[in-house]
Amino acid sequence: MKFEEVKLIIIRLYKEYIRKHLKRIIIALLLSIVVAGSTSSIAWLLDPAVKKIFIEQDKTYAWAIPILIIVSFASKGISLFFARTNIIRVSEEVAGELQKKIAKNILYTDVQTLENRHSGQYLSNVMFDTRHVQNFVGTGVLNIMKDSFTVIALLSLMFYQNWKLALFAILMIPFAATLAKTLAKRIGKATGKAGESSGKLASFLAEILKAAKMIKIYQKEKNEDLKAKSVINDLVEKNIKIGTVMITATPIMETLTGFMIAGFIVFSGTLIATGELGVNNFFSFLAAMMLAYQPIRSLATLNMVAYSGAAAFKRIAEVIDKDIMVKDNEDLPELIIKNSDIKFENIHFKYDSTDEKAIKNINLNITGNTMTAFVGHSGAGKSTIMNLLPRFYEPQEGIIKIDNQDIKKISLKSLRKNLSLVSQDVILFDDTIQNNIAYAKDHASIEDIKEACKFAAADEFIEKLPNKYETLIGENGVRLSGGQKQRISIARAILKGSPIILLDEATSSLDAESEQIVQNAITNLTKNKTTLVIAHRLSTIHNADKIFVLNQGKIIDSGNHDFLLKNCEVYKSLYEKQLK
């Protein structure tokens, strides 16, 4: 990463995130001036201390100077404490704002963008990258103020004591600056690689947590353990490299300081011998020089912290700056439902990851308050059609209408308000059954929830649970069976009361008994509703008003079950295979 890029990133970070905390930064700035003044006063007080107490043995100064030294240290400590607390708040709030923006982006961005990026990379952005930005704001902003003022105050004192020695002392500053510039480029590169490794580790951990049963049944614990060690070792090595680069300056700076102090003692001895420097001035100057060492070293590493923070913010910006392809526009009119008629006109769609179209020239007319099913081999385009209606994806060509209203020209919120989805991949939260069902409708009463559960045939098993509706179901409903999870999902859809229902292979993973219960619940859900169904088991769609048969992204036939059985070879083949 080049300096100009780092500069632009830091300017943006200041304008968008840091500037709003300017009041706290100014307070920290004023306190930093007090810290600098207190530090230089400690060194300055050694001048009269040596002269008045040790040489002239003045008893008044013997009490006054130690008290002033205590006051100087106390004011430095108190000022530094309040300066740090202000900057800590600024840095944590900046990191928190970035984390909120990433979370908001995840919530509002289109589904295709989310699917093209591993969830572990988002976790790395939130947990790893924001910490680097926080470190830059917290350490960098305070140090550039505190240490700069301290160095200026101490150099001023050194020039006051003896300008020749001061010129000799500042020789190390250009060396420190050159060293910092060289190491900063390396730290930016190392941080970038560490960020990638952190993303890989987060992705790996997410996958092995999801695949725990699969790993055990195929006895792949050792294989995954080796992968874990490899991924973790990679991150460890990257972090070691960052740490090593960060402390590379230490031996060089220590050696430079050693040469400087040695030269300083020889030069001071010459000046004392010629009467140009008093012993009291020497000790004051030496104290100032030693106190300046830490802030100079801190300023030397500031460049590295800046490069590290800039590299992390760059990765965050790739997420928060990405255009949302499907977003709501509040100025658009709301969807007005009359009959819930649905029409697809010349729809074409392809996924970003492929060159071939998933569906081609799809034309559908679905009458309101009827059940329409989609069948076909895997990859035929059934789920794609279903996902286009709630605008999870946007077609490249064509128009989709509900009651003659183009869904692109109505508000997204009103569109999705009128749709409910029940899928084979049931999504439940690590919360109570009541809260999972109430997710569909704000401020839903317990009576409404119980009524929905009766229609979904879920009340029977819920009432048998120890805590009934207050039962915690675990991550994604891990404490429930497949049929129970599906019935909760249906109860949630019933509670929402949407006029259009999307059923995505809702019973494909259930046993015969559970399927029958869920099928009855679905009948209650879809009564007097416009329903779109994807079904692998053709026995579940015998009563569908219309069935569309898809093959390689195209509609090859349509009609009811009896018509297709007689006239469509693909449908007949699918049906006979299931009978066998």
Side-chain angles (χ1 to χ4, degrees):
M1 190 183 292
K2 293 181 179 179
F3 174 74
E4 282 302 315
E5 187 180 5
V6 173
K7 181 181 172 183
L8 290 172
I9 289 171
I10 291 173
I11 289 170
R12 178 187 171 184
L13 188 60
Y14 169 75
K15 286 181 177 178
E16 295 182 15
Y17 301 95
I18 300 174
R19 186 163 60 182
K20 63 185 72 174
H21 304 285
L22 203 56
K23 185 179 176 181
R24 286 191 177 275
I25 292 170
I26 290 170
I27 292 169
L29 177 69
L30 296 172
L31 290 167
S32 295
I33 294 171
V34 176
V35 171
S38 301
T39 305
S40 59
S41 70
I42 293 164
W44 180 81
L45 283 167
L46 288 178
D47 182 346
V50 173
K51 185 178 180 181
K52 297 294 183 180
I53 298 174
F54 297 108
I55 297 175
E56 297 178 6
Q57 297 185 352
D58 189 319
K59 290 183 180 180
T60 304
Y61 280 93
W63 286 102
I65 291 174
I67 290 170
L68 288 173
I69 289 173
I70 292 169
V71 170
S72 296
F73 272 106
S75 66
K76 178 185 176 182
I78 292 167
S79 300
L80 188 56
F81 170 78
F82 285 109
R84 280 180 175 160
T85 52
N86 273 280
I87 293 299
I88 285 169
R89 177 166 287 279
V90 171
S91 64
E92 289 295 343
E93 286 185 1
V94 167
E97 190 173 352
L98 288 170
Q99 289 170 333
K100 288 171 189 173
K101 277 204 170 185
I102 296 167
K104 187 176 181 179
N105 180 276
I106 293 169
L107 290 168
Y108 284 93
T109 199
D110 50 286
V111 173
Q112 190 159 203
T113 299
L114 291 175
E115 290 178 346
N116 289 340
R117 200 168 191 264
H118 199 288
S119 59
Q121 291 177 300
Y122 286 107
L123 292 174
S124 180
N125 290 140
V126 172
M127 307 304 294
F128 180 83
D129 292 330
T130 56
R131 286 300 98 192
H132 276 280
V133 174
Q134 182 272 332
N135 182 51
F136 165 64
V137 176
T139 304
V141 173
L142 180 61
N143 285 5
I144 200 168
M145 295 187 298
K146 173 178 69 69
D147 295 332
S148 296
F149 286 131
T150 301
V151 169
I152 290 167
L154 291 170
L155 281 174
S156 301
L157 176 61
M158 284 190 262
F159 272 100
Y160 170 77
Q161 295 293 1
N162 190 283
W163 67 271
K164 291 180 181 178
L165 279 177
L167 287 174
F168 179 82
I170 63 174
L171 285 174
M172 72 176 290
I173 293 177
F175 288 108
T178 304
L179 178 66
K181 188 176 180 181
T182 304
L183 294 177
K185 292 178 182 177
R186 290 175 60 192
I187 201 75
K189 189 177 179 181
T191 305
K193 289 182 177 179
E196 291 173 9
S197 296
S198 175
K200 288 178 183 176
L201 177 59
S203 302
F204 175 77
L205 291 173
E207 286 182 354
I208 61 172
L209 284 168
K210 288 179 183 176
K213 292 178 181 177
M214 193 67 66
I215 291 167
K216 293 180 188 304
I217 201 66
Y218 287 107
Q219 303 170 64
K220 294 293 182 181
E221 290 92 342
K222 286 185 178 179
N223 299 59
E224 297 304 326
D225 187 36
L226 288 172
K227 287 181 187 177
K229 287 174 181 176
S230 174
V231 174
I232 292 168
N233 285 340
D234 182 54
L235 180 58
V236 167
E237 288 301 319
K238 297 290 192 306
N239 286 332
I240 288 170
K241 189 170 183 179
I242 292 171
T244 304
V245 174
M246 289 293 285
I247 63 168
T248 298
T250 303
I252 300 170
M253 289 293 289
E254 294 287 347
T255 306
L256 283 173
T257 305
F259 276 109
M260 189 188 70
I261 291 175
F264 164 74
I265 292 170
V266 173
F267 192 21
S268 298
T270 304
L271 293 175
I272 291 170
T274 58
E276 290 186 54
L277 182 71
V279 174
N280 55 310
N281 304 116
F282 167 77
F283 277 106
S284 178
F285 189 99
L286 179 63
M289 189 176 69
M290 297 301 287
L291 287 170
Y293 170 72
Q294 189 279 327
I296 288 173
R297 188 176 67 172
S298 176
L299 288 170
T301 59
L302 190 62
N303 215 10
M304 291 183 270
V305 176
Y307 267 80
S308 173
F313 183 74
K314 184 181 178 182
R315 290 191 295 275
I316 292 170
E318 289 172 0
V319 175
I320 61 179
D321 291 347
K322 191 166 182 63
D323 290 333
I324 298 173
M325 304 307 293
V326 181
K327 54 186 174 183
D328 203 2
N329 185 345
E330 293 179 358
D331 295 330
L332 291 174
E334 290 198 353
L335 173 64
I336 300 170
I337 293 292
K338 296 175 182 175
N339 303 313
S340 302
D341 295 335
I342 298 168
K343 186 181 286 187
F344 281 58
E345 298 178 355
N346 305 315
I347 295 294
H348 295 258
F349 176 80
K350 80 172 200 63
Y351 292 96
D352 290 343
S353 55
T354 61
D355 294 325
E356 189 178 346
K357 289 182 179 179
I359 55 172
K360 308 151 196 172
N361 197 35
I362 298 296
N363 289 278
L364 301 173
N365 276 299
I366 298 170
T367 306
N369 301 323
T370 63
M371 178 177 282
T372 302
F374 298 93
V375 299
H377 295 290
S378 180
K382 306 182 297 296
S383 294
T384 301
I385 290 173
M386 191 80 83
N387 285 325
L388 290 176
L389 191 59
R391 293 185 67 193
F392 290 155
Y393 305 107
E394 209 78 290
Q396 284 81 30
E397 297 176 47
I399 300 171
I400 301 172
K401 294 178 179 179
I402 297 176
D403 283 338
N404 229 23
Q405 300 161 82
D406 186 345
I407 64 171
K408 283 188 180 180
K409 295 180 180 178
I410 57 171
S411 75
L412 189 62
K413 186 176 180 181
S414 69
L415 168 66
R416 291 176 180 171
K417 183 182 177 182
N418 288 286
L419 301 170
S420 286
L421 172 66
V422 178
S423 171
Q424 63 172 332
D425 299 318
V426 179
I427 303 298
L428 298 175
F429 300 98
D430 188 5
D431 204 339
T432 63
I433 289 174
Q434 179 177 328
N435 289 341
N436 268 282
I437 297 169
Y439 196 78
K441 186 178 181 181
D442 293 334
H443 313 300
S445 67
I446 186 64
E447 289 75 21
D448 291 337
I449 292 167
K450 286 182 176 179
E451 188 69 20
C453 288
K454 285 179 183 177
F455 278 104
D459 59 325
E460 185 181 345
F461 83 84
I462 292 172
E463 290 295 339
K464 291 178 182 178
L465 296 171
N467 297 316
K468 297 182 170 54
Y469 287 85
E470 292 298 323
T471 301
L472 290 167
I473 61 174
E475 185 178 355
N476 205 30
V478 70
R479 300 187 183 102
L480 302 176
S481 70
Q484 289 171 337
K485 288 196 286 186
Q486 197 61 273
R487 279 178 272 171
I488 288 176
S489 177
I490 293 168
R492 187 162 57 192
I494 290 171
L495 183 66
K496 188 177 180 184
S498 304
I500 300 171
I501 308 295
L502 309 178
L503 300 175
D504 187 356
E505 301 177 325
T507 62
S508 63
S509 59
L510 303 179
D511 58 69
E513 185 180 350
S514 296
E515 182 182 352
Q516 186 59 50
I517 296 170
V518 171
Q519 198 61 50
N520 292 337
I522 287 173
T523 302
N524 291 331
L525 170 65
T526 58
K527 191 175 182 180
N528 299 321
K529 302 284 178 70
T530 301
T531 307
L532 279 67
V533 186
I534 295 174
H536 277 158
R537 296 180 185 178
L538 302 188
S539 57
T540 62
I541 56 167
H542 280 180
N543 297 325
D545 298 286
K546 197 169 190 180
I547 301 169
F548 288 95
V549 183
L550 287 99
N551 189 39
Q552 296 181 344
K554 293 180 180 179
I555 295 173
I556 58 170
D557 213 335
S558 64
N560 62 24
H561 172 72
D562 293 332
F563 173 83
L564 291 172
L565 206 57
K566 294 176 183 175
N567 299 287
C568 181
E569 286 301 319
V570 172
Y571 186 85
K572 184 180 179 182
S573 173
L574 286 169
Y575 186 73
E576 287 176 349
K577 283 178 182 177
Q578 289 191 11
L579 286 177
K580 290 178 183 178

